[in-house]
Every structure is written in C-alpha cells, then in structure tokens.
C-alpha cells in the first residue's frame, strides 16, 4: 500500500519533499540517496533519464538532481524535453567536470550546477533552494500563458 502524500505547509517541508536523482553511476546514486535521507528528504533514484520519464510524477514538493553525462538521453536533452513538456521541476545539474555551458544551463532553468565530487554542504543548500522554489514554479505552471 502506498501512502498518498499530504499537502505541505511550505515548499521547504522536508517530511514530504521528494528529491529525484538521475545518475548512471550507482555509487553516486546510493551516496546521494543516503545523504538526502539523513537530511530528512525522500530520495527517489533512477539510473537513466528514460526511467525517470517513465515514472509517474508526484504532486508534493520535489526537485531533481540530474547528471549531465547520461547514456542515451543525456541530462541536457532531458532538461530541454522537460521544458518543452512543461514538466516544471526545479533541477540541479551535476557533472564530473566543469562545463563551459553553466550560464546557458542556469538560464535554461537549472537551479544550480555542481561538479563531482559534490560538496555536501553546497548540495544540501542547493536542494533547499530548489525545494523552496518548487511552489513558485508550480504556481507559474498553472497560470495561463501570456501572449
């Protein structure tokens, strides 16, 4: 039996906030899951962008930690696809190296960009920021488009 999430009182409610993780490196996924669980969030991990897209969206506050370098559908393509499909999840992009496209990525909607190995304090701060923006993002998604 799956419990239905209750409506949170704020975007920073760690008891109901889900942090999706998409990374093909099992050690990174497991480390992030463990860290986020200790921090009080509910991590939900996927090894590919396709698995993430196939999962049903959860209506409670959430954000996404997304590896840029994924096989098949990479993180940048997933971010573009999510934007085109109006899947409004605040996204934190991660990579094993600095990326000269950081400014472009942030302007395209990423909440943050972190390099591996990921600094724990920076990750937790960025996740908190992403979850705090979730409610604003959702309000914008439900507003009629301006023409």
């Amino acid at each position: 039996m799956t419990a239905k999430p209750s409506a949170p009182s704020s975007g920073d409610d760690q008891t109901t906030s889900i942090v999706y993780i998409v990374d093909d490196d099992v050690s990174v996924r497991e480390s992030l899951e463990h860290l986020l669980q200790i921090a009080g969030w509910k991590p939900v991990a996927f090894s590919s962008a396709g698995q993430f897209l196939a999962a049903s969206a959860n209506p409670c506050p959430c954000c996404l930690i997304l590896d840029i370098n994924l096989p098949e559908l990479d993180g940048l393509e997933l971010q573009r696809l999510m934007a085109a499909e109006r899947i409004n999840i605040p996204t934190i992009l991660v990579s094993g190296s600095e990326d000269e496209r950081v400014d472009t990525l942030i302007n395209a909607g990423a909440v943050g960009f972190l390099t591996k190995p990921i600094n724990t304090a920076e990750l937790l701060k960025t996740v908190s920021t992403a979850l705090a923006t979730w409610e604003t993002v959702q309000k914008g998604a439900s507003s009629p488009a301006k023409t």
Side-chain angles (χ1 to χ4, degrees):
M1 182 165 106
T2 304
K4 199 170 193 175
S6 60
S9 57
S10 73
D12 197 29
D13 183 352
Q14 291 183 333
T15 60
T16 58
S17 298
I18 293 176
V19 181
Y20 295 108
I21 303 161
V22 180
D23 198 307
D24 60 324
D25 184 330
V26 67
S27 64
V28 171
R29 273 195 324 271
E30 289 176 352
S31 295
L32 289 174
E33 281 181 289
H34 182 70
L35 174 65
L36 294 165
Q37 211 164 27
I38 289 171
W41 292 301
K42 180 181 176 186
V44 178
F46 303 93
S47 62
S48 71
Q51 285 181 344
F52 172 75
L53 288 172
S56 59
N58 196 311
C60 65
C62 62
C63 70
L64 170 64
I65 299 173
L66 178 61
D67 185 15
I68 291 176
N69 299 309
L70 294 168
E72 298 171 26
L73 182 65
D74 73 21
L76 299 177
E77 293 168 352
L78 176 59
Q79 185 186 23
R80 286 186 200 107
L81 180 61
M82 287 171 42
E85 296 292 324
R86 298 190 187 275
I87 300 172
N88 297 308
I89 300 175
T91 302
I92 302 161
L93 296 170
V94 296
S95 178
S97 60
E98 285 293 328
D99 195 304
E100 65 276 357
R101 302 167 291 179
V102 171
D103 289 336
T104 303
L105 299 171
I106 299 296
N107 289 335
V111 174
F113 176 82
L114 304 173
T115 55
K116 297 176 187 176
I118 299 170
N119 176 289
T120 300
E122 188 176 356
L123 172 70
L124 295 176
K125 180 180 176 185
T126 307
V127 168
S128 291
T129 300
L131 290 170
T133 63
W134 183 87
E135 190 173 322
T136 302
V137 169
Q138 295 307 307
K139 285 180 182 176
S142 63
S143 299
K146 293 181 182 179
T147 55

